[in-house]
Amino acid sequence: MNEKVDFTAIPAEILADIRKRAKVEWPDDREWQEDFITVETKGYAAFQAMDFSEAALVRDDIITQAMECFESWEERASHAETEIDAYAEIAMTAPNDIPADVINKMKQDIATEADWFAMQLDSLRGAIDGYRYVRDIREKVGPIRELLVRMEGIIGKECYNGNIQNYSSWGEWEGEGRSFRYPVTFIQNGAEVKRRTSYSDLAHEELVTGYYKFGANELSIYRALMQIIDMLETEYGFVRPEARD
């Protein structure tokens, strides 16, 4: 059932090590030992025949990583193949909708984050998605920012708590219940900030994170308002500010 393997093409010390590990891995199963030997010798052959032409500049780095991080030849070959493909994709990535200097800066930054190119590729994809998200949000929110803030302000001021006990400055009780301005929580620089007024320092992509926090619950008020504007535009003929003459 096992495929034929040309053991003469495998150095004696490599083959001996593979057979030794097969006995350790499957001490009481001869058939599994043979399967292990077949897989590992094929992995060794694949690793030795690996085409590094698309990653010639980092060939030694990839080989070193594979040898240091994996004991199995199958895993080493798989790792090398993945790294070669990732390196080539990073090098070729140049989206038409993102300026070249921005992409180059992304590539420089991800190169400092991880040694493995597969991980760098994931980071690059995330950076590209993040850039597009911020760009698109800024284009969408910019013209309607003032409208969003005014709408939220109207909603936020319509909060009322009938259980609040009101007393005058001299201690005389003036009745129950009070209206108040509900605070909005935003995510700014990765941290929560609570505001009731003054949003001018918030970037467009930070403004749209604004939400009302009700204990363990949250209401994404700014995203909801954006959906309302989309609905008004689609169903009721609302014209966004950027579309006005």
Side-chain angles (χ1 to χ4, degrees):
M1 189 173 179
N2 291 335
E3 297 180 30
K4 295 293 184 179
V5 178
D6 182 9
F7 293 119
T8 62
I10 309 297
E13 65 275 13
I14 297 296
L15 186 56
D17 178 70
I18 291 173
R19 286 173 170 162
K20 178 180 178 181
R21 287 189 290 114
K23 291 179 180 179
V24 171
E25 190 76 19
W26 306 101
D28 302 317
D29 195 318
R30 180 65 181 176
E31 183 177 350
W32 280 100
Q33 287 181 26
E34 293 299 328
D35 287 342
F36 181 90
I37 292 171
T38 297
V39 169
E40 280 296 88
T41 50
K42 288 175 63 178
Y44 175 83
F47 188 70
Q48 298 306 309
M50 193 68 60
D51 182 5
F52 284 90
S53 59
E54 293 186 322
L57 294 176
V58 292
R59 177 182 182 276
D60 291 344
D61 293 335
I62 293 176
I63 291 175
T64 298
Q65 290 171 2
M67 296 300 295
E68 291 181 350
C69 297
F70 302 98
E71 181 181 14
S72 161
W73 286 107
E74 181 189 30
E75 290 177 324
R76 288 168 177 170
S78 177
H79 172 77
E81 183 177 13
T82 299
E83 288 293 276
I84 291 169
D85 291 344
Y87 178 85
E89 184 170 343
I90 290 172
M92 292 187 298
T93 297
N96 294 329
D97 62 328
I98 300 179
D101 61 327
V102 173
I103 285 291
N104 290 336
K105 180 64 165 56
M106 289 180 183
K107 292 180 180 181
Q108 291 173 6
D109 291 342
I110 65 169
T112 66
E113 296 176 1
D115 294 331
W116 290 15
F117 296 111
M119 297 175 66
Q120 291 181 25
L121 179 58
D122 286 342
S123 295
L124 179 60
R125 289 169 175 167
I128 290 173
D129 288 344
Y131 176 89
R132 286 172 173 157
Y133 169 79
V134 170
R135 178 199 61 198
D136 295 346
I137 282 291
R138 289 178 178 178
E139 290 178 356
K140 185 173 184 177
V141 172
I144 60 172
R145 180 184 176 112
E146 181 181 356
L147 177 59
L148 289 171
V149 172
R150 291 179 63 187
M151 291 170 67
E152 185 282 315
I154 293 171
I155 295 171
K157 289 178 181 177
E158 289 299 314
C159 289
Y160 177 83
N161 188 330
N163 295 321
I164 294 177
Q165 304 295 308
N166 299 297
Y167 292 88
S168 66
S169 58
W170 53 88
E172 182 177 347
W173 185 67
E174 296 182 336
E176 296 179 341
R178 183 188 303 170
S179 296
F180 61 97
R181 204 306 187 197
Y182 204 86
V184 189
T185 301
F186 299 93
I187 306 299
Q188 185 178 37
N189 298 322
E192 291 185 348
V193 292
K194 189 177 291 187
R195 303 278 183 87
R196 287 181 172 83
T197 58
S198 185
Y199 306 151
S200 59
D201 63 315
L202 295 171
H204 297 333
E205 63 271 18
E206 295 171 336
L207 182 75
V208 298
T209 66
Y211 63 92
Y212 296 147
K213 182 179 288 189
F214 308 111
N217 302 312
E218 298 176 1
L219 191 160
S220 298
I221 181 63
Y222 274 92
R223 296 191 186 281
L225 290 173
M226 290 177 65
Q227 292 180 44
I228 290 173
I229 291 176
D230 289 341
M231 182 263 299
L232 290 174
E233 182 180 38
T234 302
E235 300 180 23
Y236 294 92
F238 171 75
V239 181
R240 291 173 181 265
E242 69 268 30
R244 295 184 188 277
D245 294 331

